[in-house]
Amino acid sequence: MNEFKLRRIFKQVFGMGIYDYYQHLRMKEAARLLREEKLSVSEAGYAMGFENLGHFTRVFEKHIGKKPKKYIQNIQQN
Protein backbone atom coordinates (compact mmCIF):
# COMPACT_ATOMS: atom_id res chain seq x y z
CA MET A 1 0.00 0.00 0.00
CA ASN A 2 1.41 3.38 -0.89
CA GLU A 3 1.37 6.45 1.37
CA PHE A 4 -1.43 8.22 -0.54
CA LYS A 5 -3.77 5.24 -0.24
CA LEU A 6 -2.96 4.82 3.46
CA ARG A 7 -3.73 8.48 4.14
CA ARG A 8 -7.00 8.32 2.20
CA ILE A 9 -8.20 5.17 3.98
CA PHE A 10 -7.13 6.52 7.38
CA LYS A 11 -9.17 9.67 6.79
CA GLN A 12 -12.20 7.64 5.71
CA VAL A 13 -12.02 5.48 8.84
CA PHE A 14 -11.14 8.12 11.46
CA GLY A 15 -12.59 11.24 9.87
CA MET A 16 -9.33 13.18 10.08
CA GLY A 17 -5.79 12.99 8.79
CA ILE A 18 -3.04 11.04 10.53
CA TYR A 19 -1.36 14.12 12.03
CA ASP A 20 -4.68 15.59 13.23
CA TYR A 21 -5.54 12.26 14.84
CA TYR A 22 -2.16 12.19 16.58
CA GLN A 23 -2.66 15.77 17.84
CA HIS A 24 -6.17 14.87 19.01
CA LEU A 25 -4.82 11.99 21.09
CA ARG A 26 -2.13 14.27 22.57
CA MET A 27 -4.75 16.84 23.55
CA LYS A 28 -6.98 14.19 25.13
CA GLU A 29 -3.97 13.16 27.22
CA ALA A 30 -3.24 16.80 28.07
CA ALA A 31 -6.86 17.21 29.20
CA ARG A 32 -6.49 14.11 31.38
CA LEU A 33 -3.32 15.50 32.92
CA LEU A 34 -5.10 18.76 33.72
CA ARG A 35 -8.18 16.98 35.07
CA GLU A 36 -6.78 13.97 36.94
CA GLU A 37 -3.15 14.77 37.67
CA LYS A 38 -3.93 18.43 38.47
CA LEU A 39 -0.97 19.67 36.41
CA SER A 40 -0.73 23.34 35.53
CA VAL A 41 -1.22 24.38 31.92
CA SER A 42 2.53 24.87 31.55
CA GLU A 43 3.31 21.45 33.01
CA ALA A 44 0.77 19.73 30.77
CA GLY A 45 2.04 21.55 27.69
CA TYR A 46 5.64 20.64 28.39
CA ALA A 47 4.65 17.05 29.24
CA MET A 48 3.05 16.80 25.79
CA GLY A 49 6.27 17.99 24.17
CA PHE A 50 5.35 21.58 23.39
CA GLU A 51 8.05 24.22 23.77
CA ASN A 52 5.72 27.06 22.82
CA LEU A 53 2.82 27.25 25.27
CA GLY A 54 0.89 29.62 23.01
CA HIS A 55 0.90 26.93 20.34
CA PHE A 56 -0.16 24.35 22.92
CA THR A 57 -3.12 26.55 23.89
CA ARG A 58 -4.22 26.93 20.24
CA VAL A 59 -3.96 23.21 19.53
CA PHE A 60 -5.75 22.35 22.79
CA GLU A 61 -8.61 24.71 21.99
CA LYS A 62 -8.93 23.32 18.47
CA HIS A 63 -9.29 19.74 19.71
CA ILE A 64 -10.98 20.12 23.11
CA GLY A 65 -13.10 23.18 22.37
CA LYS A 66 -11.85 25.35 25.25
CA LYS A 67 -8.60 26.98 26.18
CA PRO A 68 -6.73 24.99 28.86
CA LYS A 69 -7.31 27.55 31.65
CA LYS A 70 -11.04 27.67 30.88
CA TYR A 71 -11.09 23.87 30.82
CA ILE A 72 -9.55 23.79 34.31
CA GLN A 73 -12.01 26.41 35.59
CA ASN A 74 -14.97 24.38 34.35
CA ILE A 75 -13.63 21.26 36.07
CA GLN A 76 -13.16 23.10 39.36
CA GLN A 77 -16.74 24.44 39.23
CA ASN A 78 -18.23 20.97 38.82
Side-chain angles (χ1 to χ4, degrees):
M1 177 181 304
N2 66 31
E3 180 183 345
F4 176 75
K5 188 172 184 176
L6 173 64
R7 288 177 181 273
R8 191 184 70 212
I9 292 170
F10 190 95
K11 191 166 188 170
Q12 287 174 346
V13 172
F14 293 100
M16 61 182 79
I18 295 169
Y19 184 72
D20 278 341
Y21 184 77
Y22 167 69
Q23 288 288 61
H24 184 72
L25 292 179
R26 285 174 78 195
M27 294 306 102
K28 284 177 65 174
E29 176 62 9
R32 187 194 71 76
L33 292 174
L34 293 170
R35 185 179 60 251
E36 295 176 13
E37 304 294 327
K38 308 291 190 225
L39 295 186
S40 70
V41 173
S42 299
E43 291 170 329
Y46 291 135
M48 292 294 96
F50 286 84
E51 293 178 13
N52 182 325
L53 295 177
H55 182 60
F56 169 69
T57 297
R58 286 189 300 277
V59 174
F60 189 92
E61 184 176 20
K62 176 183 175 186
H63 289 277
I64 303 300
K66 297 177 184 165
K67 292 183 178 183
K69 286 187 180 184
K70 189 71 170 172
Y71 182 80
I72 292 170
Q73 290 171 350
N74 287 350
I75 291 170
Q76 292 171 344
Q77 290 174 355
N78 294 332

